Amino acid sequence: MDLPNLPKLIDLSCVKTDIVMEDLRAMVALAKKHRFICCFAMPCYTAWLIEQLKDDQDIQVGGAVGFPSGADLTEAKMLTAERFVAAGCGELDMVINVGALKNRDYAMVSRDLEQVKAAAGERTLKVILEVACLTDDEIRKGSELAVRAGAAYVKTGTGWAKQPTTVEHIELIRDTIGDDAKIKAAGGIRTLRDIERMVAAGCSRFGIGIKSARNILKEAGLEA
């Protein structure tokens, strides 16, 4: 791997329930130091995050849509996406309607995806499957629907699930979508070895919390 450019594979995230301002400030400081490609906060802090990074044009701010279940009304997801676009988010990570996918209500899933994609416009849209809650067949179907709706990335999870993303998840998604979209992994990625194995399997972006990101940077020799 090109270790000096490792931060360009990582979206730093502060998207857990108990995030406080100390965590957000630490994320901004780490992002500025290492020039991570993107940062995510929970929706109520996204405008603050944009303000903190407004002078750092090489660091995107992403918007979290539908966290963590994806079961919000489509209209609510659309409004969130529109607000994020207007505020200046460069990327949107949207949770698929996990329950509808498991119910095989593919029409509902597709409408949800298509309307949020329309609200996102030209912004990069990543669709989160939450693979820990899905069977292999459900992962395949969710990946297909995400790509059909215009997602730039199929993302494995929100980071809220108890089970981690695995290399096998990456391989399954890559086998399903080929080169029609990219893959972002999130959830339980703790080591540089995790990243190396997932890159080899076809993953090109990672969503990682600040504690794990700092530890991975230390492994790579990029952080004291």
Side-chain angles (χ1 to χ4, degrees):
M1 287 186 63
D2 182 9
L3 292 181
N5 285 318
L6 180 61
K8 294 304 180 186
L9 301 181
I10 297 173
D11 295 348
L12 282 182
S13 65
C14 279
V15 293
K16 294 296 182 68
T17 302
D18 58 352
I19 288 297
V20 296
M21 291 305 301
E22 180 182 354
D23 301 314
L24 293 167
R25 293 189 184 98
M27 178 174 68
V28 169
L30 194 65
K32 286 175 175 284
K33 179 178 179 181
H34 292 285
R35 319 312 298 177
F36 285 88
I37 191 167
C38 194
C39 292
F40 282 82
M42 289 299 274
C44 63
Y45 295 115
T46 301
W48 177 89
L49 185 58
I50 290 170
E51 178 66 21
Q52 300 307 304
L53 293 172
K54 66 182 180 181
D55 296 326
D56 297 271
Q57 299 300 315
D58 60 328
I59 305 173
Q60 294 276 1
V61 173
V65 179
F67 271 56
S69 71
D72 306 59
L73 293 173
T74 296
E75 292 81 1
K77 287 183 173 179
M78 291 172 62
L79 177 60
T80 302
E82 289 167 356
R83 293 287 180 85
F84 283 156
V85 169
C89 286
E91 304 188 347
L92 302 178
D93 283 25
M94 167 205 175
V95 188
I96 202 168
N97 190 322
V98 178
L101 177 61
K102 294 186 72 66
N103 285 330
R104 300 185 182 182
D105 190 345
Y106 304 137
M108 177 183 284
V109 174
S110 293
R111 284 195 303 271
D112 193 57
L113 292 169
E114 290 163 2
Q115 292 185 45
V116 174
K117 171 56 182 170
E122 297 301 315
R123 300 299 196 277
T124 296
L125 178 65
K126 309 190 198 90
V127 171
I128 303 169
L129 301 182
E130 203 67 292
V131 293
C133 298
L134 304 177
T135 66
D136 285 359
D137 285 345
E138 289 165 348
I139 291 170
R140 291 189 188 94
K141 188 63 178 180
S143 298
E144 291 169 355
L145 294 174
V147 170
R148 193 178 303 162
Y153 287 79
V154 175
K155 181 179 171 185
T156 61
T158 60
W160 290 47
K162 294 180 180 179
Q163 293 78 27
T165 290
T166 66
V167 173
E168 289 73 25
H169 290 136
I170 304 300
E171 292 172 341
L172 177 59
I173 294 169
R174 176 55 65 211
D175 183 63
T176 301
I177 67 174
D179 295 325
D180 292 339
K182 298 178 182 179
I183 300 173
K184 176 178 171 181
I189 300 161
R190 303 284 185 261
T191 69
L192 181 60
R193 179 60 177 156
D194 291 337
I195 291 178
E196 290 172 336
R197 293 177 66 214
M198 289 182 186
V199 166
C203 187
S204 57
R205 290 279 284 277
F206 298 86
I208 303 178
I210 53 175
K211 181 179 179 181
S212 294
R214 188 175 285 114
N215 289 337
I216 289 168
L217 290 176
K218 289 178 179 178
E219 282 191 78
L222 301 176
E223 177 84 349

